[in-house]
Amino acid sequence: MAWITIGLIALAISAIGAWLLVEAVLTSAEPVSLEIARSPVVLDRNGRLLRAFTVADGRWRLPVTQADVDPLYLQMLIGYEDQRFFVHPGVDARALVRAAWQMLRHRRIVSGGSTLTMQVVRLRLGLATGSFDDKWRQLIGALALERDVEKGRVLDAYLNLAPFGGNLEGVRAAALAWFGREPARLTPAQAALLVALPQAPEQRRPDRFPEAARRGRDRVLARAEALGLIDADAAAAARREPIPTERRPFPLLAPHLTRRLVASAPVASSASAVADEHRLTLNAELQQRLETLAAERAARLPDAVSVALLAADYRSGEVLASVGSADLLARERDGFVDMTRAPRSPGSTLKPLIYGLAFELGLAHPESLIEDRPSAFGGYVPENFDRGFQGTVTVRSALQQSLNVPAVTLLEHVGPARLLARLRRAGAQPELPAVASAPAGLAIGLGGLGLTLKELVALYAAIANGGQSVHLRERLVAQDDAAAQRRDAADRPANPVLEERAAWYLGSILSGAGRLDQRSDGIAIKTGTSYGYRDAWALGYDGAHVVGVWVGRPDGAAVPGLTGGNAAVPILRNAFARIGKQVPLPGPPNGVLFASTAQLPRPLQRAADETAESGREGPAIAFPPDGARIDLVGGSAGSNVQALVLKVRNGRPPFLWLANGVPVAREPYARVARWQPDGTGFATIAVVDADGRSSHVSVELR
């Protein structure tokens, strides 16, 4: 009995000693961290990949967990690589004994004894596969790792670290590169190939050694069939599936926006997958459709011309698509420049805000009359795009035709400072001409300042949103954060860009309605063309979405004939068609005045009494200029003398025109007349207004 007791004590001491020895060995093992640097990824609002970036050493290692992978792949992986993964402590003694016996028997390596945990240790420590010393470090490292880390984290580490050829690491990068799809849904053939590649990632690269890849895949399929993971028919069908022979490009949607947001994101405190994931408000499908649209339209334009688009849901402020250029890699179009953020002249796109302010201040109504005649505002003499004048028109018609003189007339009453203040309320930071100590002038109403496409979209979003400013954002916020933002917005005092009634008037006009009581289901659209045909714009909105389009050269060079109407509007309409079903514009708010011009209160019947305003100054001949030489002779014989157009600004009608002292035209209201000369030579042209004030010029007719 004593001997039994002594034996048990000795056995216990030996066990304790062995345990202490093992603990000492495991404690001395090299630490293996599972905090792995992963590729930053940018996802759309639905979790679809927009773009990924390589890690610091140029490898693609996209974050992935077991939940992101097809269950069949995981079953094949465990069945082929490590059947006892969930029961062994990091090292499978049975597999090691089997591998050693097979090596002694066949005098070559028949099967490996490495577990998935050992492979993770090898990959993390950069150990060799044929070294006994490195194999020992794998064994000890695997036991030490699983002593501290649960199985799920080890498996996730393998899914992120496994090599798949070239600079591909991790099953997600491999699935996207070889199959063009996420690993969440794989065919049996695809799953088997992804199991086989890490065993010999360079020797089985499908793009270089497709037959070796096929043999490796088929061995995995045979094991899966033997284990009952797939049936014989599925295995046979999988063997017939072709091997991919080239790598597919990774998704590259919204390249300008994604790079900027990733670069501006705070540096993560750890290398966790979550820290490198960026969720955006964009819709990947719409983004793809609008990028395709921009590329298609740019292909029809001159080589150096690019296209930019921005689409947003103005009810939430979420940007749904952001296209910075027609083609990121098109050097001739400067595709690397993000034209959604480049300050450019907005042309006539600010006119709706000018009219809206006039409505808000009680200076005008859509049916008010306003003069479109040659006029001077100090030293500023605006002209219409077609160099003609329409005379007396309604404010509605003036905005729909984008006439310049009525817009400047109203801006003179509204004030450039107020216009700039409302732009800033909309979130814009306009760039003004660099003139020291000079206040903004009337020219800003026709494009004499710099704004970005995003700022213009924010302005039109505010108009569409009943005049309330809209903060456009690209980052998707969590529900709690969104609720907090709504509470903060509700607590802030109202500071609208426009009064609701004035904003609705604009929607009625820009949607093409002929009168206020005529409901239009169209899109509210405004175009713009900057001076010298450098920028073509189209901004539009329906009852939910706002879209902005810019067309031009990123280097600012002129493109003759490029206008918002012929270049940008077709793209805008096509963009709305690709967004989906159009949402009708809202109905009128309280306070809308439905009346014809004659029914309006007397002060509103004329938006600005142009006659009284211009009458303060004497008349001045706007055309022809003094001393001009004018070719009026046409026809092959050179004997047909054409009529000469005469224009006057300022003064008070009616106007009497004289040529060489002889009356040639009398215009009761119009500021434009036509004179038919008898022949060529020198002529003195004069005009006299209703108060007897006059102006004259001398010209040579040739």
Side-chain angles (χ1 to χ4, degrees), residues 75 124 126 242 264 325 381 393 437 499 503 531 537 560 585 587 639 694:
Q75 293 170 0
R124 288 300 287 144
S264 63
S325 69
V381 185
V393 296
S437 303
E499 181 188 74
Y531 178 78
W537 302 90
L585 293 170
S639 59
S694 65

Side-chain angles (χ1 to χ4, degrees), residues 156-333:
D156 283 347
Y158 177 85
L159 297 179
N160 283 273
L161 284 170
F164 287 88
N167 63 345
L168 298 176
E169 288 188 1
V171 67
R172 187 179 182 190
L176 288 166
W178 297 124
F179 311 128
R181 65 194 306 177
E182 294 281 358
R185 298 187 64 181
L186 300 169
T187 67
Q190 292 170 343
L193 181 59
L194 293 180
V195 170
L197 287 181
Q199 293 184 333
E202 294 304 323
Q203 289 75 20
R204 292 179 178 175
R205 278 186 57 168
D207 57 339
R208 294 183 178 178
F209 309 105
E211 285 306 312
R214 182 188 302 277
R215 289 192 296 270
R217 180 199 68 180
D218 291 350
R219 279 196 289 269
V220 176
L221 288 171
R223 176 70 64 82
E225 182 182 358
L227 294 173
L229 301 178
I230 56 175
D231 58 29
D233 290 339
R239 292 187 186 95
R240 292 192 296 270
E241 193 169 309
I243 294 289
T245 56
E246 61 181 17
R247 279 177 56 163
R248 297 170 183 257
F250 286 93
L252 185 59
L253 294 174
H256 304 86
L257 175 63
T258 52
R259 175 170 288 280
R260 185 175 72 252
L261 293 184
V262 168
S264 63
V267 178
S269 58
S270 69
S272 64
V274 175
D276 292 321
E277 183 177 283
H278 304 266
R279 294 291 296 270
L280 304 188
T281 60
L282 272 59
N283 181 303
E285 293 182 2
L286 178 61
Q287 179 72 31
Q288 180 68 72
R289 289 196 292 267
L290 295 192
E291 287 188 10
T292 301
L293 172 62
E296 291 173 349
R297 292 291 180 170
R300 307 176 190 177
L301 297 168
D303 290 343
V305 176
S306 189
V307 175
L309 295 99
L310 195 70
D313 184 333
Y314 62 78
R315 299 167 298 182
S316 64
E318 294 178 343
V319 174
L320 303 178
S322 177
V323 182
S325 69
D327 183 355
L328 177 69
L329 303 179
R331 297 183 62 182
E332 70 279 5
R333 301 183 193 276

Side-chain angles (χ1 to χ4, degrees), residues 621 646 655-666 675 683-689 694-697:
I621 296 177
L646 310 174
F655 297 102
L656 175 65
W657 291 90
L658 303 97
N660 297 321
V662 178
V664 294
R666 184 177 180 84
W675 169 48
T684 299
I685 301 171
V687 63
V688 182
D689 75 349
S694 65
S695 174
H696 69 275
V697 297

Side-chain angles (χ1 to χ4, degrees), residues 206-547:
D207 57 339
R208 294 183 178 178
F209 309 105
E211 285 306 312
R214 182 188 302 277
R215 289 192 296 270
R217 180 199 68 180
D218 291 350
R219 279 196 289 269
V220 176
L221 288 171
R223 176 70 64 82
E225 182 182 358
L227 294 173
L229 301 178
I230 56 175
D231 58 29
D233 290 339
R239 292 187 186 95
R240 292 192 296 270
E241 193 169 309
I243 294 289
T245 56
E246 61 181 17
R247 279 177 56 163
R248 297 170 183 257
F250 286 93
L252 185 59
L253 294 174
H256 304 86
L257 175 63
T258 52
R259 175 170 288 280
R260 185 175 72 252
L261 293 184
V262 168
S264 63
V267 178
S269 58
S270 69
S272 64
V274 175
D276 292 321
E277 183 177 283
H278 304 266
R279 294 291 296 270
L280 304 188
T281 60
L282 272 59
N283 181 303
E285 293 182 2
L286 178 61
Q287 179 72 31
Q288 180 68 72
R289 289 196 292 267
L290 295 192
E291 287 188 10
T292 301
L293 172 62
E296 291 173 349
R297 292 291 180 170
R300 307 176 190 177
L301 297 168
D303 290 343
V305 176
S306 189
V307 175
L309 295 99
L310 195 70
D313 184 333
Y314 62 78
R315 299 167 298 182
S316 64
E318 294 178 343
V319 174
L320 303 178
S322 177
V323 182
S325 69
D327 183 355
L328 177 69
L329 303 179
R331 297 183 62 182
E332 70 279 5
R333 301 183 193 276
D334 291 334
F336 58 89
V337 180
D338 184 359
M339 294 308 299
T340 67
R341 294 171 58 85
R344 306 294 287 234
S345 167
S348 297
T349 58
L350 296 186
K351 287 178 181 175
L353 182 55
I354 297 172
Y355 283 84
L357 290 171
F359 297 150
E360 179 181 310
L361 297 172
L363 299 173
H365 180 275
E367 306 310 323
S368 300
L369 297 179
I370 194 166
E371 300 300 318
D372 178 40
R373 306 181 188 281
S375 302
F377 301 85
Y380 181 48
V381 185
E383 291 185 333
N384 289 323
F385 188 78
D386 61 1
R387 302 297 177 90
F389 295 92
Q390 301 297 314
T392 303
V393 296
T394 64
V395 165
R396 174 185 299 276
S397 178
L399 180 53
Q400 288 177 341
Q401 296 182 67
S402 195
L403 302 178
N404 286 343
V405 172
V408 176
T409 299
L410 291 177
L411 180 57
E412 186 179 39
H413 289 76
V414 167
R418 181 178 278 111
L419 177 67
L420 290 174
R422 296 302 178 91
L423 281 173
R424 294 188 177 101
R425 283 191 192 181
Q429 296 296 324
E431 292 191 4
L432 299 173
V435 179
S437 303
L442 297 176
I444 67 171
L446 303 183
L449 76 172
L451 289 172
T452 68
L453 176 59
K454 185 178 180 181
E455 290 171 336
L456 283 173
V457 170
L459 170 62
Y460 278 76
I463 296 173
N465 194 39
Q468 295 296 324
S469 62
V470 177
H471 173 63
L472 297 182
R473 55 186 174 85
E474 298 96 355
R475 290 191 184 276
L476 194 66
V477 298
Q479 290 186 354
D480 293 342
D481 293 337
Q485 287 183 358
R486 288 193 294 270
R487 288 193 299 271
D488 291 343
D491 293 339
R492 287 196 298 267
N495 199 21
V497 176
L498 275 178
E499 181 188 74
E500 184 180 15
R501 175 177 53 88
W504 187 85
Y505 282 151
L506 292 177
S508 169
I509 296 171
L510 297 178
S511 62
R515 57 181 187 270
L516 288 179
D517 59 354
Q518 178 184 6
R519 184 175 178 84
S520 174
D521 293 328
I523 302 166
I525 297 177
K526 183 66 186 78
T527 63
T529 304
S530 67
Y531 178 78
Y533 301 99
R534 289 175 171 81
D535 308 277
W537 302 90
L539 282 298
Y541 58 88
D542 63 6
H545 304 103
V546 57
V547 176

Side-chain angles (χ1 to χ4, degrees), residues 562-580:
L562 186 76
T563 68
N566 65 25
V569 168
I571 301 175
L572 179 82
R573 293 191 179 280
N574 204 320
F576 269 100
R578 299 188 186 202
I579 287 175

Side-chain angles (χ1 to χ4, degrees), residues 5-70:
T5 302
I6 294 172
L8 291 175
I9 292 173
L11 182 61
I13 293 173
S14 300
I16 293 172
W19 178 78
L20 291 174
L21 178 61
V22 170
E23 279 296 309
V25 171
L26 296 182
T27 303
S28 66
E30 296 176 72
V32 178
S33 173
L34 298 187
E35 294 295 337
I36 306 165
R38 295 169 171 86
S39 295
V41 294
V42 186
L43 310 179
D44 83 337
R45 61 191 304 111
N46 300 313
R48 180 175 169 183
L49 183 64
L50 292 169
R51 184 180 186 181
F53 296 82
T54 59
V55 293
D57 60 0
R59 297 179 183 274
W60 295 100
R61 191 185 297 142
L62 279 63
V64 64
T65 66
Q66 299 168 63
D68 305 320
V69 178
D70 193 311

